[in-house]
Amino acid sequence: MLSYRHSFHAGNHADVLKHTVQSLILEALKEKEKPFLYLDTHAGAGRYQLASARAERTGEYLEGIARIWQQDDTPAQLEPYLNAVAAFNRSGQLRYYPGSPLIARELLRPQDMLQLTELHPSDFPLLRAEFQNDKRATVARGDGYQQLKAKLPPTSRRGLILIDPPYEMKTDYQAVVTGISEGYRRFATGVYALWYPVVLRQQIKRMFHELEATGIRRILQIELAIRPDSDQRGMTASGMIVINPPWKLEKQMAALLPWLHRKLAPGGTGHVSLSWLVPE
Ligand code: SAM
């Protein structure tokens, strides 16, 4: 089943949180000259047109990136992310949204590498076309979880692995944990960033227990909810699980989360949280 299309959701509050965390990790990795690998297991199409029938049908970006774009009080730490978005909107008007692979392309240096995987028959060619002239990038059509076995450890022995499945199949909640264990066994010093939606809180709690049971240490949980938990259908919150986070990330997110929440949930509903699922 491959019915999920990210174009309906591009730039929503969950993308804002995900890409903020992604950009902070990439900036931290750039503090050392040594190259690193950016591995994106579920890369999507790359570029999304916000003024399109799909994006406008749901209007999700209006309650996401549009709320933090061109604000007077933007925290400096959001600059790498927002500059990457601005690179696709040179007129100043918000028309396109870069997905995770294009944000990485903007932020990576000539010595870094990208390994991108996308399974969807329509999104894969779009992604491949985006990167056809980028010698740093390898774009594959296939199962992203397999890459965690096939491509790790990277020769550079440094890297960020972003795992961002659609969770349209319940098995994804288990597959991400298995995939992370496989990757971690090969590359224990990598930074792993896993995105998760909160649709049913129980599902997330189960996933956390399974992650804890892997024995992996240094697992930071970052969450932003725009509505209280609910057992009705729909995503109320999303979060990022970061294994081996750069040392500054916790402090940076502690400063950013209240600002993001104020902008993304102007009515004050929902919550933010930042805690160690498993400490050192
Ligand atoms: N990471 C992207 C971003 O932040 O811009 C968005 C990715 S979207 C949430 C999830 C993507 O995973 C979809 O484009 C979907 O087609 C793709 N997908 C679904 N199952 C997959 C699999 N087993 N391996 C790789 N990609 C898959």
Side-chain angles (χ1 to χ4, degrees):
M1 188 169 74
L2 274 176
S3 51
Y4 179 93
R5 305 302 300 279
H6 196 64
S7 43
F8 288 107
H9 312 289
N12 67 4
H13 64 88
D15 264 5
V16 169
L17 179 71
K18 179 202 310 173
H19 297 145
T20 295
V21 172
Q22 177 199 9
S23 64
L24 292 172
I25 297 172
L26 291 176
E27 288 302 297
L29 285 168
K30 281 159 61 178
E31 285 174 8
K32 285 194 184 137
E33 211 37 54
K34 242 187 118 201
F36 64 84
L37 172 73
Y38 170 72
L39 191 155
D40 198 327
T41 57
H42 296 70
R47 183 185 304 242
Y48 304 97
Q49 200 175 342
L50 295 175
S52 72
R54 278 200 191 132
E56 281 177 343
R57 174 129 58 94
T58 60
E60 290 186 23
Y61 77 96
L62 295 171
E63 298 184 345
I65 184 65
R67 287 194 169 153
I68 63 158
W69 175 248
Q70 292 177 340
Q71 300 292 301
D72 295 332
D73 57 345
T74 309
Q77 281 144 342
L78 279 182
E79 263 171 34
Y81 164 47
L82 290 175
N83 287 345
V85 178
F88 294 87
N89 296 283
R90 299 243 181 245
S91 70
Q93 205 191 332
L94 196 53
R95 295 175 60 208
Y96 296 97
Y97 189 77
S100 52
L102 293 199
I103 290 175
R105 188 177 75 191
E106 287 301 310
L107 298 180
L108 263 53
R109 306 159 301 178
Q111 67 264 42
D112 302 321
M113 307 290 279
L114 299 94
Q115 176 76 46
L116 314 168
T117 308
E118 171 55 46
L119 192 57
H120 199 284
S122 309
D123 285 345
F124 168 70
L126 298 172
L127 181 69
R128 185 178 48 189
E130 288 285 354
F131 284 90
Q132 62 187 355
N133 296 321
D134 192 333
K135 291 200 168 56
R136 302 170 302 175
T138 307
V139 185
R141 176 156 186 227
D143 176 22
Y145 297 118
Q146 287 303 321
Q147 305 290 315
L148 297 165
K149 291 195 253 183
K151 303 293 175 192
L152 298 179
T155 43
S156 59
R157 291 292 197 279
R158 303 182 70 219
L160 166 62
I161 294 99
L162 179 71
I163 304 157
D164 181 22
Y167 297 91
E168 61 179 336
M169 293 184 292
K170 282 208 183 97
T171 49
D172 270 331
Y173 291 92
Q174 170 64 54
V176 292
V177 179
T178 311
I180 286 175
S181 309
E182 300 270 15
Y184 190 88
R185 205 176 311 142
R186 291 165 174 79
F187 181 39
T189 53
V191 182
Y192 294 80
L194 166 69
W195 180 82
Y196 67 86
V198 180
V199 178
L200 292 174
R201 179 62 67 181
Q202 271 316 108
Q203 241 161 1
I204 294 306
K205 282 193 176 156
R206 212 172 305 133
M207 186 178 87
F208 287 176
H209 286 145
E210 285 171 12
L211 260 174
E212 285 164 23
T214 61
I216 297 173
R217 318 278 319 162
R218 296 195 74 221
I219 309 183
L220 185 66
Q221 184 210 351
I222 303 164
E223 187 171 297
L224 191 157
I226 53 156
R227 289 197 300 278
D229 285 2
S230 156
D231 49 14
Q232 310 298 311
R233 275 194 68 80
M235 177 172 71
T236 57
S238 72
M240 293 291 278
I241 290 291
V242 186
I243 298 172
N244 295 328
W247 66 273
K248 277 191 292 193
L249 187 68
E250 183 183 10
K251 213 169 162 192
Q252 290 172 318
M253 290 312 298
L256 283 177
L257 279 171
W259 187 88
L260 286 172
H261 186 248
R262 259 198 318 281
K263 297 288 175 183
L264 296 170
T269 51
H271 63 260
V272 294
S273 67
L274 177 66
S275 63
W276 290 92
L277 199 60
V278 185
E280 194 77 50

